[in-house]
Amino acid sequence: MIGITPTPAAQECLDNIEAVMAIFKTRVKELTARAGVPMIWQWYDLELLKEDLAILFQVMQQKSNGGFGIKHNIAGQEERDYLVKFDVTSRDGNQIFMPAVFSDVIRDLMANARKYTPPGGRILSGLDDDGHRIRFVVEDTGVGIPAEQIQDVVMLGFRADNVRNRRTYGGGFGLTKAYWVTQRLQGRMWIDSRLDEGTRIEIQFPRAPSG
């Protein structure tokens, strides 16, 4: 029997598949948990939540075929690397109680921030539960949104003039879903953006009793 050692290209492909499968298993678990109850609240381990997002960005990096890197430490950031930060704090220590669907919103908005930020930019985000309200903030150093169109970007299928001809992947309804979920949770959503400087999105909603 002859042992087979994968070439670097084959190993990279295997690593990519493994990362995609890790995300897939997480998504199946989440979807199963809230089947028929899309707004159900559940407990999340903070470290696993951060690990899930780290894997998401790892897959993005691998799919770029060397087009950019992902770094979580500014000291390691190079010219074509994104600096990605995600911090979580909770009154419950190492867990946070939130709607299952909101984990989708976090992923979507962070993926959007990467999509519209050139390599070398920053994507800073944070999630906080103070016992009364849950607050999520994500800001980037991307292309921004024209001031007169900020109100429109939550409309299904709308794309701002400055990115209308940009090739992107995905359904293009991340902001629409985020706004819809926020409304369902009786919360508020703010968008602050400047062309060629970046965008900041903030979402707040009341925290539900945990038991």
Side-chain angles (χ1 to χ4, degrees), residues 34-204:
R34 64 176 185 259
V37 194
M39 303 303 287
I40 191 173
W41 287 63
Q42 64 185 48
W43 288 102
Y44 285 84
D45 179 278
L46 301 192
E47 290 304 315
L48 291 180
L49 192 60
K50 292 195 290 186
E51 182 181 333
D52 182 37
L53 284 168
I55 292 173
L56 173 67
F57 277 90
Q58 177 188 343
V59 170
M60 291 180 191
Q61 174 180 308
Q62 291 169 342
K63 291 176 69 174
S64 78
N65 295 317
F68 59 81
I70 300 292
K71 296 295 172 59
H72 304 290
N73 184 337
I74 192 171
Q77 185 183 18
E78 302 293 344
E79 183 178 359
R80 291 193 62 78
D81 293 336
Y82 289 96
L83 177 66
V84 179
K85 305 285 283 183
F86 177 62
D87 297 310
V88 193
T89 51
S90 170
R91 71 154 193 182
D92 296 298
N94 62 355
Q95 289 185 308
I96 189 168
F97 189 61
M98 68 178 187
V101 71
F102 198 68
S103 62
D104 294 342
V105 170
I106 292 172
R107 278 190 289 261
D108 290 346
L109 293 184
M110 292 190 69
N112 260 8
R114 204 289 309 167
K115 187 185 302 182
Y116 296 112
T117 300
R122 299 182 182 185
I123 300 162
L124 309 179
S125 63
L127 179 66
D128 177 70
D129 172 11
D130 67 1
H132 302 287
R133 62 95 181 99
I134 290 180
R135 181 185 183 211
F136 173 69
V137 177
V138 57
E139 62 179 39
D140 61 56
T141 54
V143 298
I145 305 166
E148 68 277 9
Q149 295 183 324
I150 290 177
Q151 291 287 339
D152 300 325
V153 293
V154 298
M155 296 170 55
L156 183 62
F158 182 87
R159 297 189 71 193
D161 289 344
N162 62 324
V163 297
R164 190 158 293 166
N165 297 320
R166 179 189 291 253
R167 183 182 179 185
T168 59
Y169 299 94
F173 54 88
L175 280 171
T176 303
K177 182 167 70 176
Y179 182 70
W180 181 86
V181 169
T182 302
Q183 293 294 301
R184 288 289 300 273
L185 295 170
Q186 300 179 345
R188 295 191 63 190
M189 178 175 173
W190 296 266
I191 300 177
D192 180 25
S193 188
R194 291 174 175 78
L195 281 177
D196 302 318
E197 292 184 21
T199 299
R200 175 188 170 95
I201 297 173
E202 178 175 340
I203 295 174
Q204 291 190 27

